[in-house]
Amino acid sequence: MFLLSIEFALFMLAFLPLYWSVAKWPKAQNILLLLAGLGWLVREDAWFALTVTLFSSLIWLIGRLMPSEKTRGGKWLAGFGIVSGLAVLCFFKYFDFFRPLLQQAFGQNAVVDILLPLGLSYYVFQSIAYIVYCYQYPQSERFDWDEVLLHFSFFPTVTSGPIIRAAAFKSIDGIQLGALGQIRTRRPRELVRPALAVALIALGLAKKWWLAGSLAEGWVSPVFANPEQFGGWDVLAAVYGYTFQLFFDFSGYSDLVIGLAMLLGFRLPKNFNAPLRAANIREFWNRWHISLSTWIRDYIYIPLGGSKKGFARTQLNLLLAMVLSGIWHGYGWNFLLWGVLHGLALVCLNIGDRLIGKSNGLSGLPFCKWLAVAVTFHFVCLTFVVFNTSSLNDTQLVFSALFDNAQGWRLTDWATAAVLALFAAMLLLYPYLIRLFDAAVAGLEKLPLWLWFVPLTLALLVIVVLAPSGIPGFIYANF
């Protein structure tokens, strides 16, 4: 992942002065951003850059051909664009699933390896949002060719989001300007709260490199690779640990790219909002990978009918949306089961609310709040076991080691006890940790700019010393 490389750090040190030297000319900045995005894709693989360019050209052409009023032809054109994007996504994501059948039909050597283009899912999702926007608002502005290419290849987000839509949209921070308005701006861009930006970058590095990396190396990977060799408490720590690893990995990446975008004068949507403290599964999905969960709501759940066709149909729409979310992550049965479990949980929650006659009725009671958080947290952790195993047989091995462990539940390793205590402390103290971060940002803003290197250098040294050796991969880059 190039964002966590020394080469990328050196690139940013050289790129930012050049980028801001042409601050009076946003179009010149756009050219630099486009060259940088395509350049990093070429560095990974020239095929990635070609795929983005060809796909962007198709979406640009569809946007330009879209009539200036809603017509049957425009609807067919929008449908063609959406189907084309989904076809490209499905071809690359599920090619390996059909590989054995193709090899059987055409011979072992007749089927070549096909590499999944970097960030494909995210710019396909962004393209669908743009096509729907062009159809629903036929009089609206459209991207130029270079602008849509920049939208899809924007280097902070191309790997794994957050998903930013072309038009203005509602986020947890209110109405937010979309990519079209931010790219096409005629006003000179400005740094967006630079102290917060660099603090988010440091926080993202700490989460992604140190915390997620340490959990993966110390608990999650060894236990999931051979769960039968570990005691019950070790397996439990690994089950909790994988959920925290995912959170640190992805929220850390989101913090990093949001901070980078702020240094470039762009605002990206917030992607996480304390999801592990959610009091029910609906609230969890309102807080976890927000740009994706809202995309699923707007472009899958609502087009299926949403909640407008009766209670039973609403539950079916929810279940279908979550199943599609599950199989988007991969083609194995485990991903399908994971989507089904979360869909059923949402359905059961809605049925419970209907019986009680009040939304979030149980979790809204003060004495039930923490019980609801605990139940939701454990449901999320246990279903992530399904997510993190390559087959249902491997899933069964982990659950057998957890609930029917031959070694029992004797706590022999105090490191395991310590990490379990840290997980509990993280959940309990999370609001105070957020306040601590905000206080650190406020303190940095009060310092003269020339002194910023002192706290930032100390923070980086702590991360480098405590983080595992090597540069970790990014989990969600595989999806």
Side-chain angles (χ1 to χ4, degrees):
M1 177 179 147
F2 61 79
L3 295 186
L4 286 180
S5 65
I6 295 175
E7 293 87 349
F8 183 77
L10 295 174
F11 161 77
M12 286 300 294
L13 289 174
F15 182 78
L16 284 175
L18 175 62
Y19 178 80
W20 288 110
S21 70
V22 293
K24 294 181 180 179
W25 304 280
K27 287 190 175 181
Q29 289 181 316
N30 289 348
I31 293 172
L32 291 174
L33 289 172
L34 182 57
L35 292 174
L38 293 176
W40 281 107
L41 287 171
V42 169
R43 181 181 179 275
E44 294 293 311
D45 192 305
W47 168 243
F48 295 163
L50 178 61
T51 304
V52 175
T53 303
L54 293 176
F55 185 77
S56 300
S57 300
L58 173 64
I59 300 305
W60 167 78
L61 183 61
I62 290 171
R64 284 298 175 185
L65 292 176
M66 195 75 69
S68 58
E69 57 184 21
K70 285 187 178 182
T71 63
R72 183 182 295 270
K75 188 174 183 178
W76 279 101
L77 187 61
F80 170 76
I82 293 170
V83 170
S84 298
L86 292 175
V88 170
L89 178 62
C90 292
F91 173 77
F92 284 104
K93 284 188 74 70
Y94 305 109
F95 178 80
D96 286 342
F97 180 76
F98 295 103
R99 179 194 296 273
L101 297 176
L102 294 172
Q103 288 175 335
Q104 185 177 0
F106 300 104
Q108 189 75 21
N109 297 325
V111 182
V112 298
D113 290 332
I114 294 181
L115 200 61
L116 176 68
L118 189 68
L120 176 65
S121 293
Y122 291 89
Y123 53 80
V124 167
F125 290 162
Q126 291 177 167
S127 73
I128 290 173
Y130 176 59
I131 290 171
V132 172
Y133 158 74
C134 290
Y135 172 71
Q136 290 182 339
Y137 304 97
Q139 300 289 336
S140 61
E141 286 188 296
R142 311 286 170 82
F143 277 122
D144 291 333
W145 177 81
D146 58 310
E147 292 171 336
V148 75
L149 183 56
L150 173 56
H151 177 38
F152 294 157
S153 66
F154 188 52
F155 67 83
T157 62
V158 69
T159 303
S160 293
I163 300 168
I164 180 169
R165 305 185 191 184
F169 60 97
K170 185 178 181 180
S171 72
I172 61 174
D173 295 319
I175 300 298
Q176 193 159 345
L177 192 62
L180 181 56
Q182 296 192 62
I183 290 173
R184 186 167 283 183
T185 181
R186 295 178 182 177
R187 298 176 57 186
R189 296 187 179 106
E190 297 179 350
L191 286 165
V192 180
R193 291 195 65 187
L196 176 59
V198 296
L200 283 171
I201 291 171
L203 179 64
L205 288 172
K207 286 181 178 180
K208 175 73 194 75
W209 191 4
W210 168 27
L211 297 174
S214 297
L215 284 172
E217 185 178 279
W219 280 273
V220 178
S221 295
V223 173
F224 273 82
N226 199 355
E228 296 173 312
Q229 299 300 314
F230 293 87
W233 289 109
D234 298 318
V235 178
L236 184 63
V239 169
Y240 291 161
Y242 181 68
T243 298
F244 277 96
Q245 180 195 347
L246 268 181
F247 171 71
F248 289 138
D249 187 276
F250 201 11
S251 71
Y253 173 86
S254 296
D255 291 338
L256 176 63
V257 300
I258 289 170
L260 287 172
M262 291 168 71
L263 293 181
L264 297 169
F266 285 77
R267 295 180 182 271
L268 301 181
K270 190 174 181 180
N271 221 15
F272 290 84
N273 184 25
L276 300 184
R277 286 171 56 93
N280 58 58
I281 197 64
R282 184 192 304 120
E283 188 178 331
F284 171 81
W285 280 109
N286 287 335
R287 297 176 174 210
W288 177 278
H289 200 349
I290 299 168
S291 64
L292 176 62
S293 58
T294 53
W295 189 95
I296 291 171
R297 178 197 66 199
D298 294 343
Y299 300 104
I300 297 179
Y301 172 68
I302 291 177
L304 286 172
S307 58
K308 296 181 178 180
K309 296 187 178 182
F311 182 78
R313 177 64 182 273
T314 298
Q315 309 320 305
L316 178 61
N317 293 339
L318 269 176
L319 185 58
L320 287 173
M322 293 310 301
V323 167
L324 290 172
S325 172
I327 61 177
W328 165 73
H329 287 88
Y331 56 78
W333 289 108
N334 287 48
F335 294 115
L336 174 63
L337 177 59
W338 179 78
V340 169
L341 290 172
H342 275 264
L344 290 176
L346 287 168
V347 170
C348 290
L349 178 64
N350 287 342
I351 292 173
D353 288 345
R354 188 179 179 89
L355 292 174
I356 295 171
K358 181 180 179 183
S359 181
N360 304 329
L362 290 177
S363 62
L365 299 174
F367 59 88
C368 288
K369 171 72 173 179
W370 279 106
L371 177 60
V373 170
V375 170
T376 304
F377 173 76
H378 282 86
F379 174 82
V380 168
C381 291
L382 293 174
T383 53
F384 270 142
V385 173
V386 181
F387 189 88
N388 190 40
T389 45
S390 57
S391 68
L392 295 178
N393 183 58
D394 290 340
T395 305
Q396 183 181 1
L397 289 176
V398 175
F399 281 128
S400 295
L402 181 61
F403 296 113
D404 189 22
N405 194 293
Q407 298 189 39
W409 286 81
R410 289 181 300 166
L411 190 59
T412 57
D413 187 355
W414 288 107
T416 300
V419 78
L420 289 169
L422 286 173
F423 291 156
M426 174 68 69
L427 291 175
L428 291 171
L429 301 178
Y430 193 82
Y432 301 99
L433 295 174
I434 295 297
R435 292 180 193 175
L436 181 62
F437 175 77
D438 292 340
V441 172
L444 192 62
E445 288 176 329
K446 293 177 182 178
L447 279 179
L449 185 61
W450 62 273
L451 277 179
W452 281 18
F453 80 94
V454 176
L456 293 175
T457 301
L458 288 174
L460 186 59
L461 283 174
V462 170
I463 294 169
V464 170
V465 170
L466 296 178
S469 59
I471 302 298
F474 177 49
I475 296 174
Y476 264 79
N478 299 320
F479 303 129

